[in-house]
Amino acid sequence: MFDSITGSIKNAVNKIRHKDDVASLKKAITELKKSLLKADVHHKTTKDLITAIELETKRLGIGQDSFLKALRNELSNVLTTQGNQGFVFSSTPPTTILMTGLQGSGKTTTTGKLANYLKLRKKKVLVAAADLQRLAAVEQLKQIAAQVEVDIYYDDNEKDPIKIALAAKEKATKELYDVLLIDTAGRLAIDEELMLQLENVRNAVSPDEIFYVADSLTGHDATKTATTFKEKIGIDGVILSKYDGDTKGGVAISIAHQVGVPLRFIGIGEKMPDLEVFIPDRIVSRLMG
Ligand code: GDP
């Protein structure tokens, strides 16, 4: 999957020729640094990672095995944030989730995937079509809801996303839904109006969690926008979409390290079942080949 980073990790390991050879460790670290940067790992993250890996390899005794062990441990440390645990249910249903993200990130599809994930776990799920920004978004969510057989709240005559979100919450509460997933407006880029609208929806429905859907294929931009969403509206989890198309692999590491919000799920295809709980060690194994 991440052929290039996996290959260059192997190259880095092969630089270590003899036990306790400090000069060859330096070469391995330089090679590793290059490959992390090429894989779109943020430069600060890369710096922290290689410093920790060099120290840990020395502590374990320089050699190929200890370099690999240090690399595996440090990657795992970076990717493991408190709260990596998939979906968390509120003690007072409906667990209300705001789905946020830029247009095209996969937000509406991911809302359907999460609904499907929860439905398979016997939860009563309501999705709400509060993305009124993109013309086709409501229709798309209707189709997805029908496909995964969950209920949907929408109002073709209502132009105010706050009213839609509130009405959906009222329905979900009255009709004892376990989970309410609210699909909110996306934009091509972050703008003040979008943030204000999101803030207002958030304040109106007091969600249990806000998920940010980040498109893996946008590399460093995914980290930047996730940071902005975190600062402006607060996010509780990141879902990395289109991970199946990501050949570099660095974005998960950068988001975990730079944004400081747990990665919760990854999207691994266009179909509804293509959603996995984010498991740090599984990602490390994929990166290391
Ligand atoms: P939105 O504007 O953020 O709501 O984006 P959409 O949900 O409409 O998704 C945009 C495109 O990305 C669609 O063609 C989706 O099928 C595709 N997509 C979403 N998630 C994934 C994923 O995990 N993998 C792949 N390969 N495609 C995805």
Side-chain angles (χ1 to χ4, degrees):
M1 183 177 184
F2 305 122
D3 294 346
S4 87
I5 189 167
T6 306
S8 44
I9 285 173
K10 289 205 172 90
N11 286 343
V13 175
N14 287 335
K15 298 273 180 225
I16 301 178
R17 298 259 177 234
H18 311 287
K19 283 220 150 295
D20 301 323
D21 178 356
V22 179
S24 72
L25 174 62
K26 283 274 176 231
K27 283 188 194 149
I29 289 289
T30 306
E31 187 71 27
L32 181 65
K33 182 179 173 188
K34 272 196 262 170
S35 60
L36 291 173
L37 290 172
K38 224 166 92 191
D40 273 353
V41 178
H42 192 278
H43 65 94
K44 278 197 208 126
T45 309
T46 300
K47 194 166 168 239
D48 286 2
L49 265 172
I50 59 166
T51 305
I53 291 163
E54 186 171 356
L55 272 176
E56 180 68 358
T57 308
K58 283 181 179 160
R59 196 185 65 80
L60 293 168
I62 298 171
Q64 292 196 350
D65 287 350
S66 52
F67 181 78
L68 276 172
K69 191 172 175 195
L71 176 59
R72 184 172 284 277
N73 287 348
E74 293 308 323
L75 286 177
S76 179
N77 279 346
V78 167
L79 290 171
T80 308
T81 331
Q82 204 189 0
N84 275 136
Q85 73 277 41
F87 199 89
V88 178
F89 293 96
S90 153
S91 53
T92 48
T95 304
T96 302
I97 309 289
L98 277 194
M99 300 294 294
T100 71
L102 293 183
Q103 205 172 59
S105 63
K107 181 176 48 63
T108 305
T109 307
T110 306
T111 304
K113 288 178 178 177
L114 257 188
N116 183 58
Y117 172 90
L118 293 160
K119 167 106 201 253
L120 292 174
R121 282 154 186 80
K122 312 271 180 259
K123 300 297 173 188
K124 189 179 175 192
V125 182
L126 181 67
V127 295
D131 178 357
L132 308 181
Q133 219 59 42
R134 184 162 60 89
L135 282 178
V138 177
E139 270 322 301
Q140 187 188 353
L141 195 62
K142 282 185 200 172
Q143 280 174 18
I144 286 174
Q147 191 188 335
V148 301
E149 299 178 337
V150 300
D151 296 335
I152 176 167
Y153 180 86
Y154 64 92
D155 183 346
D156 287 335
N157 298 315
E158 182 55 70
K159 299 280 170 272
D160 183 352
I162 300 171
K163 289 198 180 136
I164 296 204
L166 274 174
K169 176 111 186 207
E170 200 180 311
K171 176 179 166 71
T173 309
K174 232 189 245 163
E175 297 176 22
L176 305 178
Y177 281 85
D178 297 305
V179 178
L180 168 63
L181 303 174
I182 304 175
D183 188 20
T184 66
R187 296 282 160 92
L188 290 174
I190 291 171
D191 64 46
E192 287 303 320
E193 209 190 322
L194 164 71
M195 287 301 170
L196 194 64
Q197 188 189 86
L198 266 178
E199 243 181 274
N200 289 336
V201 173
R202 179 199 66 195
N203 295 345
V205 296
S206 308
D208 294 288
E209 299 206 273
I210 300 176
F211 283 172
Y212 178 77
V213 179
D215 180 341
S216 314
L217 305 182
T218 58
H220 291 304
D221 279 347
T223 310
K224 262 192 247 157
T225 34
T227 306
T228 308
F229 269 72
K230 177 188 170 188
E231 286 166 1
K232 300 233 172 194
I233 53 158
I235 53 176
D236 302 286
V238 171
I239 301 182
L240 265 185
S241 64
K242 309 183 197 176
Y243 208 61
D244 51 304
D246 181 10
T247 51
K248 293 183 168 177
V251 65
I253 303 167
S254 292
I255 288 187
H257 188 255
Q258 294 295 311
V259 187
V261 168
L263 287 151
R264 306 286 285 272
F265 289 92
I266 51 172
I268 49 159
E270 291 190 85
K271 301 208 176 67
M272 289 301 116
D274 296 336
L275 184 77
E276 276 182 8
V277 170
F278 180 84
I279 298 172
D281 286 343
R282 202 182 280 171
I283 302 296
V284 174
S285 296
R286 283 178 187 166
L287 287 168
M288 295 189 57

